[in-house]
Amino acid sequence: MKRVPSDRGTARGIGAAVATLFVVAVTTACSVSAGAPNATAQPADDGARIVSIQMLDSRTRDLTIESPAVGSVKVRLLVPSDFESSSNQLPMLMLLHGGGGEYPDWTDETAVETYTAAVEVLVAMPDAQSSNIETMTPQPDGTGQRGPHDWEQFHLTELPQLLQRNWRASPVQAVGGLSLGGYSAMMYTARHPGMFAATASFSGVLDITAGTDRPPSVADVIAQVEQTADEANWPDANPIDLVPALHGATLFISYGNGQPGPLDQPGAAPDELEAWVGAGDDNFVQALRTAGISATVDAYGPGTHSWVYWDRELKQALPLILHSLRAGPAPSADTAAKR
């Protein structure tokens, strides 16, 4: 399957959205040290284990995990400022990158480190390799067992167990993601009711069948997503079809309409990828309303499929997320309000 376009960088029209959406960022480490956890580190139930830790600065750690579900995988972890001196259990926020992205994206492209500096939360940013469309249950092999890359098992079972047993994570967790990461966040929430205290989707792909009359480049993306869903043999592969399972969930959904917005460079072209995402998210929000499910929605109109908007929306979503994790006060009435 072709690679779904990356969600890094600022989209400049459909050509940029489908080709190269990002400039690779280099992580600048204040100090770097590497090594394995101490000998008492606990593995996950299926044997997944942390094999090395890099300390990038006082709050940032890069973990390498050997996972039976997905093989060797990286996770960037933000710990609270007082992590070393405290013994408190910590709720976890898992942030998923977009298609073609990488595990450092959230710290490279947003101010998540600043936004979470004063809160008692573990922020886990795991890898999902080439595309978060691949995070769902893979097609069973000939023996009826799961295939070799079960990202759902890694994200929802192995990683939480490792963080609870070795990094003082509590069972309370929230999930968020951008683009195809938003797809996965919503699918995980619908497939596992009650698992997450809050779910955030930033330009998430929430209706894969929306707007199939889009230009050829976007139509190709749609076809890839639908083909992958079909090949994976998922019983329900489209978030909008799982809306009834979201009753009781705390949801934050934000998206633009693809027209150049206030955070885009002067002269920016319309972004057909965000236009397609926005059309699908409009459908999804309407389906929630029809089902009587409440959500905090920021349908902000003009805006492209780019990090400048996802950074802003993460900041908008955090008061709701932190309050749901019992790590912050109730958000004010105008926080993350529908525009």
Side-chain angles (χ1 to χ4, degrees), residues 104-185:
D105 284 358
W106 280 102
T107 53
D108 286 351
E109 305 286 355
T110 77
V112 62
E113 191 167 1
T114 299
Y115 301 153
T116 60
V119 297
E120 293 288 294
V121 169
L122 279 177
V123 184
M125 295 154 281
D127 203 356
Q129 289 192 354
S130 64
S131 170
N132 276 82
I133 197 71
E134 298 165 359
T135 62
M136 304 307 298
T137 304
Q139 186 174 12
D141 63 18
T143 64
Q145 301 300 311
R146 293 176 184 268
H149 299 295
D150 186 353
W151 288 100
E152 187 169 2
Q153 171 73 5
F154 175 69
H155 287 149
L156 304 191
T157 302
E158 293 178 346
L159 180 59
Q161 287 180 357
L162 289 171
L163 296 182
Q164 289 168 22
R165 294 171 186 182
N166 300 286
W167 292 87
R168 304 205 314 268
S170 79
V172 180
Q173 58 183 323
V175 64
L178 66 93
S179 195
L180 288 174
Y183 169 96
S184 294

Side-chain angles (χ1 to χ4, degrees), residues 61 79-88 120 168:
R61 314 285 190 270
V79 302
S81 300
D82 64 350
F83 182 78
E84 300 298 337
S85 60
S86 171
S87 59
N88 295 337
E120 293 288 294
R168 304 205 314 268

